[in-house]
Amino acid sequence: MTITYLVIIVIVGYCIYMMRRRKGLNDFKSALTPICFLLVPIMNLAVLWLEWPSIVSWVAFTVLLLLGAYFMKYLPKPEPESK
């Protein structure tokens, strides 16, 4: 299960990296939202492996989601679809 989890995280991270590269985005602030959202499962794996108390997981989850939501304002605006 852990290996599957890690493979999915790597694939999603690579897809995000390629999309940002294709669109020419290279500023750090717009990258913080996907980074925070990818750190959530990584932090949960660390809590599982290291057998930390679950409060650590909840606090990290809350902080990362709040940071991700805050930095969403720096994401580029979506382009209108052409018909």
Side-chain angles (χ1 to χ4, degrees), residues 4 12 16 27-28 30 46 51 57 60 63-64 74-77 82:
T4 307
V12 169
I16 291 171
D27 57 332
F28 185 69
S30 68
E51 297 178 4
S57 175
V63 168
L64 287 171
Y74 296 109
L75 290 176
K77 303 290 183 221
S82 60

Side-chain angles (χ1 to χ4, degrees), residues 1-73:
M1 181 71 174
T2 302
I3 294 172
T4 307
Y5 210 48
L6 287 174
V7 168
I8 291 171
I9 292 170
V10 169
I11 290 172
V12 169
Y14 180 73
C15 290
I16 291 171
Y17 170 74
M18 291 308 292
M19 274 192 335
R20 290 180 52 78
R21 188 171 166 198
R22 196 174 318 126
K23 290 184 178 183
L25 299 173
N26 55 6
D27 57 332
F28 185 69
K29 285 185 179 179
S30 68
L32 282 175
T33 296
I35 289 171
C36 287
F37 289 155
L38 280 175
L39 283 177
V40 168
I42 293 171
M43 185 64 191
N44 285 333
L45 275 177
V47 168
L48 178 70
W49 287 339
L50 302 174
E51 297 178 4
W52 290 342
S54 61
I55 189 71
V56 174
S57 175
W58 280 102
V59 169
F61 178 73
T62 304
V63 168
L64 287 171
L65 282 181
L66 288 174
L67 282 174
Y70 176 75
F71 285 105
M72 268 190 163
K73 65 183 179 182

